[in-house]
Amino acid sequence: MPANFEVVIVGAGPAGLAAASAAVERSRRVLLIDDNPAPGGQIWRGEGRQPPRGVETWLETQVLGPLRPGLLMADRAGVPAQISYEKLILATGARERFLPFPGWTLPSVMGAGGLQALVKGGLAIEGKRVVVAGTGPLLLAVAAYLAKRNARILLVAEQAPRQRVLRFTANLWRQPAKLAQAFSMGRYLALKYRTGLWPVSAHGNGKLEEILLSNSRRLACDYLSCGFGLVPNSELAALLGCRIATGEVLVDEFQRTTRERIWCAGEPTGIGGAELSIIEGRIAGYAATGDRHSATSLFTARMRASRFPREMDSAFSLRPELRRLVHPGTIICRCEDVRFSQLTSHTTWRAMKLHTRCGMGPCQGRVCGPAVEFLLGCAPEGARPPLYPATVSQLALDRQ
Amino acid sequence: MTADAVVIGAGIVGAACADALSTVGLRVAVVESRVIGGGATAAGMGHIVVMDDSEAQFALTHYSQQLWRTLSPEMPAELEWDPSGTLWVAADEEEMQAVAHKHAYYVARGVNVEVLDAAQLADAEPNLRRGLHGALLIPGDSVVYAPCAAAWLLARAQLRRASLLADRVISIGRHSVHLTTGDRIESPNIILASGAWARELLPAIPVRPRKGHLAITARYPGFLRRQLVELGYLKSAHGHDTESVAFNLQPRTTGQLLIGSSRQYDVTHTSIDAPFLARMLRRAIHFMPALEHLRVIRAWTGFRAATPDSLPLIGPAPGREGLWLATGHEGLGITTSLATGRLIADAIAGRTPAIPPEPYLPARFPQ
Ligand SMILES: Cc1cc2nc3c(=O)[nH]c(=O)nc-3n(C[C@H](O)[C@H](O)[C@H](O)COP(=O)(O)OP(=O)(O)OC[C@H]3O[C@@H](n4cnc5c(N)ncnc54)[C@H](O)[C@@H]3O)c2cc1C
Ligand SMILES: Cc1cc2nc3c(=O)[nH]c(=O)nc-3n(C[C@H](O)[C@H](O)[C@H](O)COP(=O)(O)OP(=O)(O)OC[C@H]3O[C@@H](n4cnc5c(N)ncnc54)[C@H](O)[C@@H]3O)c2cc1C
């Protein structure tokens, strides 16, 4: 028997939590779903955030895809589940873009958010020498978090040129919350922060030992944690038939997608940061429960909050040199061991996939897709269920 | 531009035609509008299988299988050639009798086959459920990864001066094809190998798209040794029910399992029909309960080009001088592609074909 809800929200990050708190004002049957053991999404996870009162919350639950209109299939902590909804709000967030360079597959080279998540999960980081590299304000947030856990931050390497970063921080005064955030990073980190610098390769025998930087310096370290911007998680929206353009889910002013009864909020509609995600989440929550008045009252706030991501985009755009880090033998698709030289004779993602197996593995191109898009200019198209690897028995289930 | 022969479509059939035509000395141009081997060829299981439901089907599959085997020593690794053989699984005594019939049929035609009883079957594939009655083993069947096979066959043809054009044919004229770019290719021979898309260029062609679903698992090396097909598959494949599923499980050289199969007429959208996929997977679990806990990483769909009598259309298009058809291969086009290429090339070059071509001639259908 499917579980029945009026409003189902997928993703319990800032957007999903905000959507839930708005939706629960008018509906008694709201379900909030997240695949992590705790709510909060990328930034608030593990901070003890609670879902709003009156909202049913299913954690460790992966939505695998639609079963039929109005019905989702899910894996609820290993148990197949079906969820029926009248209204669906997608708040599926974003993931980090990881760019390949020689040595990136060594253990202890990982995503910035990935290392943070491991530390939240109990990885001992105290006294370890860590380099945080890539681009965007997220690097500082991750470095600050790791520093608080007594990691030795050797360097925060921002690829963007100094001028652009300065202009961006100068504009922060218009965003008091952001400014406060930036300052709370502290002096210690400010001293480790370098602009116009990026890792060129990572070296070590079976594990990371040192990295080579773009200024030709070598640096011995225990962890290299990299993030080259964020990519919207739009796969579920795509499976549901919502229109997507350049990787972003299309929505109207009420956060409504091109599909009946489906709304979308937060990063999938375009990378915008937590503040914008919260506003979009609330608009979606109100709009989905028919409270157009409350939704409309947030339009101005949304407009204000969307300035920051636009400025961020232009400040932290990826420099072309990053395309030239890969060697012919550098692995691009880690699931299927596909190397850069195998891809260059193809001109579309689909041709690469069919003829080299790039993106065919368990992650279904989630990691290599954005990298290939940056390196070679072709993006994965479409999505196929299941969204996450699912057991045969789960997909075989179809009882109404 | 001119060519001795133009092939429309670079699926496995078009690629095999280009290979064969260039071998008899023709200068071939291949036009492909999407990705080489990206149509049905990218959706299919790549099972190279002999079939016996008609004499004509046997002749074509058997001949083609021999051609594949002859090529196999030259194949690059990415073709994932795997001579793993087929087990046709009998669920009851009635199906066991069918096994005996098939055995006699194949033996009479010189195909190496073997009957397994229940115990031997359980021994051969321990993950099958108990209580099955036995199986027919066809050790000569094999598996190929068809998109790379198509690319390889084309590359061979290109070494013999064939050219490949990334364009779409918008219409077929008398001894010419017209492309979206406004260009025309003049050629005395035009081979229509556009699979289930054939109706777009030739609306009267008796080909209907027949949708299939497949699912692929993560890697479980050693879980399965041979391709398993339930005998009931034949009913599914050759019946004309609007919808049917059958147990069809294939080990890949990667250790993955490819789970099939399903057939649906009158459906045109490419999306996954989750309830129907579920039905197909339940059929698989019914035969192999241990599948339940394995993880599926992706499911997809593809369209077979089905004809009314389950045989392909290979030969001159009636009433259209210089136009040749090479489509309608339904669920066997990867197997029968090489024979198709040879039959077309032999006919154009005026050579005697290795098997009688009559059963496949498009003229068998009223126009
Ligand atoms: C033997 C074998 C093994 C495989 N193993 C794996 C594996 O391990 N992992 C894996 O992920 N995949 C695997 N595949 C599947 C393969 O990569 C593709 O998924 C498969 O070719 C079909 O995928 P799709 O329909 O999902 O198409 P996708 O590759 O997702 O692409 C769909 C494409 O079709 C286009 N399209 C959509 N509608 C139409 C239309 N009406 N007409 C024309 N074009 C259209 C889209 O624009 C898009 O480019 C395997 C395939 C085979 C044959
Ligand atoms: C689920 C499933 C499982 C299968 N399993 C097997 C199996 O195990 N063994 C087996 O032997 N067979 C199998 N088949 C059947 C096999 O896949 C097909 O018969 C075979 O791939 C057909 O090849 P084709 O070249 O005729 O068609 P396609 O591969 O579809 O190629 C046609 C090509 O023509 C191109 N095209 C179309 N229109 C134009 C145009 N106007 N201009 C230019 N180009 C054009 C298309 O882009 C396409 O690339 C299976 C099929 C399916 C769907």
Side-chain angles (χ1 to χ4, degrees), chain B residues 8-15 31-49 167-170 193-197 200-201 210-214 227 248 250 262 300-305 326-336:
Chain B
I8 306 171
I12 192 74
V13 172
V31 188
E32 169 57 56
S33 58
R34 299 175 184 88
V35 173
I36 296 168
T41 300
M45 289 179 115
H47 190 198
I48 307 296
V49 53
D167 204 338
R168 191 162 65 85
V169 173
I170 48 176
S194 57
W197 284 278
E200 287 179 5
L201 292 170
R210 203 175 185 192
K211 185 173 178 177
H213 284 72
L214 286 177
Q227 178 138 357
N248 189 340
Q250 178 182 89
S262 78
W300 66 87
T301 64
F303 291 91
R304 307 172 181 91
T327 180
H329 295 77
E330 217 272 348
L332 285 171
I334 297 165
T335 303
T336 55

Side-chain angles (χ1 to χ4, degrees), chain A residues 328 336-346 352 355-357:
Chain A
E336 297 289 337
D337 267 357
V338 181
R339 289 162 199 278
F340 186 63
S341 58
Q342 292 171 266
L343 300 178
T344 44
S345 61
H346 300 286
M352 289 176 194
H355 293 287
T356 72
R357 300 190 57 86

Side-chain angles (χ1 to χ4, degrees), chain A residues 266-304:
Chain A
E267 312 290 38
T269 67
I271 301 303
E275 215 162 317
L276 181 61
S277 296
I278 292 168
I279 301 168
E280 289 188 0
R282 289 176 63 199
I283 294 176
Y286 285 130
T289 49
D291 186 353
R292 289 172 72 92
H293 178 74
S294 302
T296 312
S297 71
L298 290 163
F299 286 0
T300 333
R302 180 179 52 198
M303 206 173 66
R304 231 180 291 123

Side-chain angles (χ1 to χ4, degrees), chain A residues 336 350 354 364 389-390 396, chain B residues 38 145 219 282 295-296 298:
Chain A
E336 297 289 337
R350 191 164 149 78
L354 286 176
Q364 288 288 300
Chain B
Y145 179 60
R219 299 180 180 212
R282 282 199 298 276
R295 290 196 169 262
V296 168
R298 185 186 182 88

Side-chain angles (χ1 to χ4, degrees), chain B residues 99-284:
Chain B
V99 163
H101 281 125
K102 282 174 173 295
H103 182 259
Y105 181 96
Y106 284 123
V107 169
R109 284 158 187 80
V111 178
N112 178 21
V113 286
E114 206 181 302
V115 176
L116 305 193
D117 64 21
Q120 288 166 320
L121 177 60
D123 199 41
E125 294 294 347
N127 284 313
L128 277 169
R129 77 167 156 84
R130 292 299 96 107
L132 296 167
H133 283 237
L136 182 73
L137 168 65
I138 309 196
D141 285 353
S142 49
V143 174
V144 74
Y145 179 60
C148 286
W152 181 62
L153 290 170
L154 262 186
R156 284 161 46 101
Q158 283 172 295
L159 290 178
R160 303 185 207 102
R161 296 189 306 153
S163 55
L164 175 66
L165 283 83
D167 204 338
R168 191 162 65 85
V169 173
I170 48 176
S171 66
I172 304 172
R174 207 181 127 80
H175 297 308
S176 68
V177 299
H178 300 253
L179 308 178
T180 47
T181 44
D183 290 347
R184 244 157 74 115
I185 311 175
E186 311 273 346
S187 176
N189 301 294
I190 295 159
I191 294 98
L192 184 63
S194 57
W197 284 278
R199 282 198 299 201
E200 287 179 5
L201 292 170
L202 210 60
I205 197 169
V207 162
R208 266 168 94 188
R210 203 175 185 192
K211 185 173 178 177
H213 284 72
L214 286 177
I216 194 141
T217 67
R219 299 180 180 212
Y220 301 97
F223 184 89
L224 181 72
R225 292 171 205 160
R226 302 192 185 272
Q227 178 138 357
L228 304 181
V229 193
E230 66 164 304
L231 273 162
Y233 174 85
L234 298 172
K235 272 181 249 140
S236 165
H238 305 293
H240 290 269
D241 294 348
T242 334
E243 287 193 348
S244 61
V245 297
F247 170 60
N248 189 340
L249 189 67
Q250 178 182 89
R252 307 287 315 168
T253 53
T254 52
Q256 292 171 285
L257 305 174
L258 198 44
I259 310 175
S261 68
S262 78
R263 285 177 155 77
Q264 283 169 297
Y265 276 123
D266 308 322
V267 188
T268 49
H269 57 82
T270 57
S271 54
I272 300 277
D273 177 342
F276 195 57
L277 176 71
R279 198 176 133 194
M280 183 185 96
L281 295 177
R282 282 199 298 276
R283 190 72 191 160

